[in-house]
């Protein structure tokens, strides 16, 4: 079979164009993948650094807040205990006064004293 030189040149140039375009596209895709990997590595490092800083900061704030809450709790507990002691003392004093008042009222309202014996 006989192929003309022009046909052979056209087929050969078409194959060359397809190979050139394919190689260029493959190189471009490889460059994009390499670039994405570099950006991903950079972002991962940056995110890890920020995460470490935030974790440290949150732990510090948590420690400070825990200490402050414990101090407030202790202070309130002491104040509540003092108020409870005072109220208990006041209630006991009132109870004693009420008992004495009840006895006094009972003496006043008790049976009438007979100084004179009624005559027959």
């Amino acid at each position: 079979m006989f192929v003309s030189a022009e046909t052979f040149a056209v087929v050969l140039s078409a194959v060359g164009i397809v190979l050139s375009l394919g190689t260029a596209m493959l190189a471009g895709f490889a460059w994009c993948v390499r670039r994405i990997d570099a950006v991903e590595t950079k972002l991962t490092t940056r995110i890890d650094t920020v995460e470490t800083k935030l974790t440290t900061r949150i732990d510090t704030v948590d420690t400070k807040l825990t200490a402050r809450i414990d101090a407030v709790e202790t202070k309130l507990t002491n104040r509540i205990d003092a108020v409870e002691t005072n109220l208990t003392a006041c209630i006991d004093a009132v109870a004693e006064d009420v008992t004495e008042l009840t006895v006094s009222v009972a003496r006043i309202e008790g049976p009438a004293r007979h100084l004179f014996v009624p005559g027959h």
Side-chain angles (χ1 to χ4, degrees), residues 12-24:
L12 189 61
S13 64
V15 168
I17 288 173
V18 168
L19 286 177
S20 297
L21 286 176
T23 304

Side-chain angles (χ1 to χ4, degrees), residues 3 10-11 18 23 35 44 53-56 58 74 78 82 84-85 102 104 119:
V3 178
V10 168
V11 169
V18 168
T23 304
R35 181 78 176 159
T44 301
K53 287 179 181 178
L54 284 176
T55 301
T56 304
I58 288 171
T74 303
N78 291 340
E84 184 179 11
T85 303
T102 305
S104 297

Side-chain angles (χ1 to χ4, degrees), residues 6-81:
E6 292 85 16
T7 305
F8 185 71
V10 168
V11 169
L12 189 61
S13 64
V15 168
I17 288 173
V18 168
L19 286 177
S20 297
L21 286 176
T23 304
M25 287 175 60
L26 183 66
F29 182 70
W31 178 82
C32 288
V33 168
R34 210 177 58 207
R35 181 78 176 159
I36 288 171
D37 285 345
V39 169
E40 181 185 10
T41 303
K42 196 176 193 181
L43 285 176
T44 301
T45 304
R46 191 171 178 187
I47 288 170
D48 289 344
T49 304
V50 169
E51 183 181 10
T52 303
K53 287 179 181 178
L54 284 176
T55 301
T56 304
R57 190 172 177 187
I58 288 171
D59 289 344
T60 303
V61 170
D62 182 45
T63 304
K64 287 179 182 179
L65 284 177
T66 301
R68 192 165 182 186
I69 288 170
D70 290 344
V72 168
E73 184 179 12
T74 303
K75 191 176 183 180
L76 286 176
T77 301
N78 291 340
R79 287 181 72 183
I80 289 171
D81 289 345

Side-chain angles (χ1 to χ4, degrees), residues 82-105:
V83 168
E84 184 179 11
T85 303
N86 288 339
L87 282 176
T88 302
C90 288
I91 290 171
D92 290 343
V94 168
E96 186 178 325
D97 287 345
V98 167
T99 303
E100 290 177 11
L101 182 63
T102 305
V103 170
S104 297
V105 169

